[in-house]
Amino acid sequence: MTAHAAMLLGTEVVSASLCHGGDLSRVIWIGLACGGTVIAKTGPAPRVEAAMLRAIAAAGAPAPAVLAVDDQLLVLECLADTGRPDDAWGALGRALATLHACRGDGYGWPDDYAFGPLAIVNQMSRAGHPASSDPDWPGFWAACRLAVHLPALDPPLARRIERLIASLHDRLPAHPPAALLHGDLWGGNILVANGRITGLIDPACYHGAAEVDIAMLGLFNTPTPAFFEAYGPPAPGHDQRLAI
């Protein structure tokens, strides 16, 4: 992995150490002979992840620069990470509002992705549903985020999810703005230093309802009023949609 990164960068590597985390990818710090440190990581689709990080940066939100990439490895700028989301809720609200202000023409993403062995299907046609001329958000969520995984679930849970799918048009807004989503925005994927957000990492981007990212923030953290003051108030009914 270090030799591969050196080849991609065209420079000599003088040190390497394993990063913490890395549940779904192998991630290492690499010291370069020319000075400085970079991050190298494997993953299900390094070129797709690189495109996602570039999209986040192009939207004006913080993300590490892509230094090199091929089909096996992604090499990234090493960003400061000395804090945690609880140190910077207001800054995170501003960063996420900037990201979500970047809108797409529809829901999904040009490429599929994955969390380890779990496929992330980003187009309804690839989920076995014909693409509609006017696809709605409940249809995308049903086809690409729920129904595709029914075969992997225990039958009692699968039947519950099927009942939820049947009611989604009564539970979700039909056409919310197609915001650029991080897609996996839990606290471990938010880099913080000195009260500011230095980078949003390990994305699984697509365009969809902005409250998906906000719901994910509540997995291991609890956004404070400072977050919503900076981001904006949640849409009516947000609390009822969190579980979905």
Side-chain angles (χ1 to χ4, degrees):
M1 192 169 170
T2 55
H4 192 166
M7 181 272 293
L8 288 177
L9 293 169
T11 188
E12 183 182 351
V13 169
V14 295
S15 65
S17 59
L18 192 66
C19 293
H20 64 83
D23 292 336
L24 300 177
S25 304
R26 188 169 181 232
V27 185
I28 60 174
W29 283 292
I30 294 178
L32 304 177
C34 59
T37 303
V38 299
I39 299 290
K41 63 174 295 190
T42 59
R47 293 188 189 276
V48 176
E49 182 175 356
M52 292 172 174
L53 289 169
R54 287 169 175 148
I56 292 172
V66 176
L67 303 179
V69 64
D70 66 8
D71 291 337
Q72 288 78 44
L73 195 68
L74 176 61
V75 185
L76 300 170
E77 173 189 17
C78 185
L79 298 174
D81 180 25
T82 58
R84 54 181 185 158
D86 288 344
D87 301 326
W89 281 115
L92 180 58
R94 290 187 292 274
L96 200 58
T98 298
L99 180 68
H100 290 169
C102 181
R103 303 289 168 79
D105 296 329
Y107 306 122
W109 193 255
D111 300 293
D112 292 340
Y113 199 53
F115 290 145
L118 179 69
I120 301 175
V121 179
N122 282 322
Q123 291 189 19
M124 289 182 67
S125 60
R126 291 202 282 265
H129 293 254
S132 167
S133 60
D134 186 27
D136 61 27
W137 175 241
F140 176 87
W141 196 258
C144 296
R145 293 296 178 267
L146 298 178
V148 290
H149 302 303
L150 289 175
L153 302 179
D154 292 334
L157 178 56
R159 288 192 290 271
R160 291 178 60 194
I161 298 299
E162 287 174 333
R163 290 195 294 271
L164 173 63
I165 288 171
S167 69
L168 281 186
H169 281 88
D170 297 324
R171 296 173 180 268
L172 298 180
H175 295 284
L180 176 58
L181 305 181
H182 178 278
D184 190 21
L185 198 65
W186 67 287
N189 288 342
I190 302 165
L191 305 184
V192 179
N194 300 318
R196 65 187 183 92
I197 307 302
T198 59
L200 305 178
I201 63 169
D202 295 347
C205 289
Y206 60 102
H207 289 94
E211 62 187 359
V212 171
D213 275 347
I214 298 172
M216 189 66 179
L217 280 175
L219 183 60
F220 299 116
N221 300 92
T222 303
T224 67
F227 171 83
F228 289 104
E229 289 170 9
Y231 178 85
H238 171 74
D239 289 347
Q240 286 71 49
R241 293 187 294 271
L242 280 176
I244 299 173

